[in-house]
């Protein structure tokens, strides 16, 4: 069984064709600059050289057609015909309050994706275009929507309600949703298996630390809290996003700078985080660490604040669950940066956390990085959102 996984952004489309017999990647690739001059498809068949195809991609529809051509190409293709593809799984950002479980796409699912355009203005329209492009290119095949908000929908009311007038929840669904759901679902599940934990009761905290960053707490794989909110702006300090701030900051900057709310929100989303805190050094944590090493004080503070906030969320979520069995690190920083992992864990001595420095000297490989006598298992679990989407697609279509 082969499953095609599609992840559409506003001007990009990532894909992976996965063989579900052994969960191996048969081919993967990326369409960039869709709808912009200079669009390009990079196609990587497993075990072969990468192919770059420069061709106009005015729409996601043309991008999907190019991907289908690349997959079936006599030289660099990996299938003879699209008949070999059993189903298509799509990452969809926002399912609103209607959908939390993955679902086979029908007219109602498309209506909900459309209704949530306001909640995911960059992603939901692109996700819908990707689904409709696949429907046109491969008529009759099942398309499955896997929601980035799905995992967080299990949160109890006390965790997802904002303390604002209830009418805004009733009228517009203003609540905390959480994002990176496929990653939190995948990593918490793998942590339970790898750590040999009780699948019904394990208390797991997942730190997804990448350019976007979020923490989740789950019991038996069911989310009890997560740090992102109505949008992916809430929570941790990220590459360019501020995470938690006093909302009055928005009004204050508006008044001082003569900007409107949209402009200031744009600054909080795109010019803040470690990029903004460091005085513009970079949104890339490697650059921030290099600047810190060369004596840049603002970069040092940005990194310390990032780590401090992760540690505070871990503390809060340990309290929320009345304990924690395992803490898993994932995504770009979480999988690659041993010094950030160690610095975060140094705040957790009161939980009996002990890091094994030799075990922590690892990148991108599933590993227990805590010492054998650590009271909490600390792990590095590489995330794999595509595989999580493919597994959900298989479950719903087999
Ligand atoms: P992601 O969004 O999960 O792809 O993560 C991307 C981020 O991971 C980049 O902004 C990098 O700052 C960070 N990253 C990747 N490798 C390292 C590393 N060795 N040390 C620190 N940060 C890293």
């Amino acid at each position: 069984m082969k499953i095609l996984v599609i992840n559409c952004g506003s001007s990009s489309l990532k894909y992976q064709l996965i063989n579900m017999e052994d969960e191996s990647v048969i081919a993967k690739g990326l369409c960039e600059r869709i709808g912009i001059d200079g669009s390009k498809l990079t196609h990587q068949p497993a075990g072969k050289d990468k192919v770059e195809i420069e061709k106009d991609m005015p729409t996601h529809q043309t991008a999907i057609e190019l991907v289908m051509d690349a997959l079936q190409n006599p030289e660099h293709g990996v299938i003879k015909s699209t008949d070999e593809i059993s189903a298509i799984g799509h990452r969809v950002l926002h399912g609103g309050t209607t959908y939390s479980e993955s679902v086979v796409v029908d007219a109602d699912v498309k209506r909900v994706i459309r209704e949530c355009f306001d909640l995911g203005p960059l992603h939901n329209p692109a996700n819908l275009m990707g689904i409709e492009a696949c429907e046109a290119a491969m008529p009759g095949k099942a398309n499955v929507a896997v929601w980035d908000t799905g995992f967080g929908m299990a949160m109890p009311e006390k965790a997802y309600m904002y303390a604002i007038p209830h009418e805004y929840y009733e009228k517009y669904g203003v609540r905390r949703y959480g994002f990176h759901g496929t990653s939190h679902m995948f990593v918490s599940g793998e942590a339970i298996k790898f750590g040999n934990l009780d699948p019904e009761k394990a208390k797991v905290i997942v730190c997804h630390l990448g350019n976007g960053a979020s923490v989740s707490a789950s019991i038996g794989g069911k989310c009890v809290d997560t740090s992102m909110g109505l949008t992916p702006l809430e929570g941790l300090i990220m590459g360019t996003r501020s995470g938690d701030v006093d909302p009055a900051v928005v009004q204050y900057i508006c008044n001082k700078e003569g900007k409107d709310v949209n402009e200031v929100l744009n600054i909080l989303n795109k010019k803040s985080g470690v990029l903004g805190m460091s005085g513009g050094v970079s949104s890339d944590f490697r650059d921030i660490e290099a600047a810190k090493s060369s004596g840049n004080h603002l970069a040092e503070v940005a990194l310390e604040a990032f780590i401090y906030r992760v540690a505070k969320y871990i503390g809060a979520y340990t309290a929320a669950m009345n304990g924690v069995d395992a803490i898993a690190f994932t995504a770009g920083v979480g999988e690659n940066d041993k010094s950030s992992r160690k610095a975060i864990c140094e705040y957790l001595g009161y939980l009996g956390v002990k890091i094994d420095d030799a075990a922590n000297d690892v990148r991108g490989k599933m590993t227990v990085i805590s010492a054998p006598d650590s009271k909490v298992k600390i792990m590095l679990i590489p995330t794999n959102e595509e595989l999580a989407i493919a597994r959900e697609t298989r479950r719903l279509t087999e």
Side-chain angles (χ1 to χ4, degrees):
M1 184 184 206
K2 291 174 188 140
I3 287 180
L4 181 64
V5 176
I6 299 285
N7 182 356
C8 278
S10 49
S11 65
S12 69
L13 184 157
K14 282 192 236 162
Y15 63 94
Q16 277 193 12
L17 185 65
I18 300 180
N19 180 355
M20 296 311 288
E21 309 319 322
D22 59 0
E23 298 192 330
S24 62
V25 177
I26 305 167
K28 63 181 177 181
L30 167 68
C31 303
E32 291 167 278
R33 300 180 66 84
I34 300 170
I36 311 171
D37 280 353
S39 37
K40 181 173 87 176
L41 162 65
T42 309
H43 175 71
Q44 170 83 70
K48 289 194 194 159
D49 288 341
K50 226 182 239 179
V51 188
E52 289 197 352
I53 302 159
E54 284 177 25
K55 212 160 186 185
D56 261 4
M57 288 180 237
T59 62
H60 287 73
Q61 175 72 44
T62 41
I64 282 286
E65 284 163 10
L66 277 182
V67 171
M68 291 301 134
D69 288 348
L71 290 171
Q72 297 172 82
N73 184 283
E75 275 158 31
H76 52 256
V78 290
I79 50 173
K80 291 211 163 55
S81 95
T82 54
D83 290 347
E84 291 180 46
I85 299 174
S86 303
I88 306 122
H90 297 262
R91 180 181 189 209
V92 182
L93 183 82
H94 221 301
T97 52
T98 315
Y99 287 111
S100 51
E101 300 291 325
S102 309
V103 60
V104 177
V105 174
D106 61 10
D108 190 63
V109 173
K110 290 202 269 182
R111 175 186 62 77
V112 170
I113 297 175
R114 209 172 281 114
E115 278 176 11
C116 294
F117 278 6
D118 280 351
L119 286 166
L122 292 180
H123 292 87
N124 268 39
N127 300 150
L128 185 60
M129 280 192 271
I131 288 170
E132 291 184 332
C134 286
E135 287 175 337
M138 289 170 281
K141 280 202 202 296
N143 287 276
V144 169
V146 181
W147 313 94
D148 214 36
T149 49
F151 188 72
M153 291 303 285
M155 276 188 275
E157 275 177 300
K158 64 184 175 189
Y160 75 68
M161 287 306 250
Y162 285 116
I164 60 172
H166 190 66
E167 61 179 291
Y168 301 126
Y169 173 69
E170 301 236 306
K171 285 201 277 193
Y172 312 119
V174 178
R175 54 162 277 175
R176 305 184 60 257
Y177 289 90
F179 296 85
H180 293 143
T182 39
S183 178
H184 286 290
M185 174 180 72
F186 180 83
V187 174
S188 57
E190 295 293 298
I192 288 171
K193 280 190 261 168
F194 188 60
N196 221 355
L197 306 174
D198 183 339
E200 305 292 322
K201 294 196 190 128
K203 296 173 178 174
V204 177
I205 294 176
V206 173
C207 304
H208 177 113
L209 309 178
N211 196 22
S214 60
V215 193
S216 71
S218 60
I219 301 182
K222 226 171 142 240
C223 180
V224 296
D225 210 338
T226 187
S227 59
M228 284 175 167
L230 174 74
T231 76
L233 182 56
E234 190 177 335
L236 299 179
I237 295 171
M238 312 183 207
T240 64
R241 286 176 233 157
S242 63
D244 300 330
V245 287
D246 179 346
V249 165
V250 176
Q251 183 202 35
Y252 194 76
I253 296 175
C254 281
N255 291 343
K256 289 285 179 195
E257 295 267 312
K259 294 188 191 305
D260 66 22
V261 170
N262 291 325
E263 288 173 292
V264 176
L265 259 289
N266 199 41
I267 290 167
L268 294 184
N269 268 305
K270 299 201 176 135
K271 297 191 175 155
S272 300
V274 292
L275 169 71
M277 280 189 86
S278 64
V281 167
S282 175
S283 63
D284 191 304
F285 284 84
R286 284 164 292 200
D287 299 336
I288 296 290
E289 280 178 14
K292 175 193 154 183
S293 303
S294 58
N296 184 319
H297 176 66
L298 293 183
E300 182 179 3
V301 174
L303 201 58
E304 281 180 357
F306 165 76
I307 286 161
Y308 176 63
R309 190 163 310 167
V310 177
K312 283 209 296 185
Y313 266 94
I314 292 173
Y317 286 174
T318 303
M321 296 193 290
N322 192 17
V324 59
D325 297 311
I327 300 171
F329 289 97
T330 197
V333 179
E335 291 173 30
N336 293 301
D337 186 7
K338 62 179 177 185
S339 57
S340 288
R341 290 193 298 260
K342 186 172 162 77
I344 291 164
C345 288
E346 273 168 1
Y347 280 98
L348 308 177
Y350 71 101
L351 291 175
V353 166
K354 282 190 203 158
I355 284 285
D356 177 331
D357 285 331
N360 187 37
D361 191 5
V362 64
R363 291 172 67 154
K365 189 170 155 259
M366 212 184 285
T367 316
V368 173
I369 59 170
S370 49
D373 61 341
S374 177
K375 291 223 174 71
V376 182
K377 267 202 173 99
I378 312 295
M379 300 179 214
L380 187 171
I381 309 272
T383 192
N384 191 338
E385 293 174 76
E386 289 78 11
L387 181 56
I389 293 168
R391 284 179 182 170
E392 286 290 273
T393 305
R394 175 185 197 166
R395 185 174 67 77
L396 288 169
T397 58
E398 210 168 30

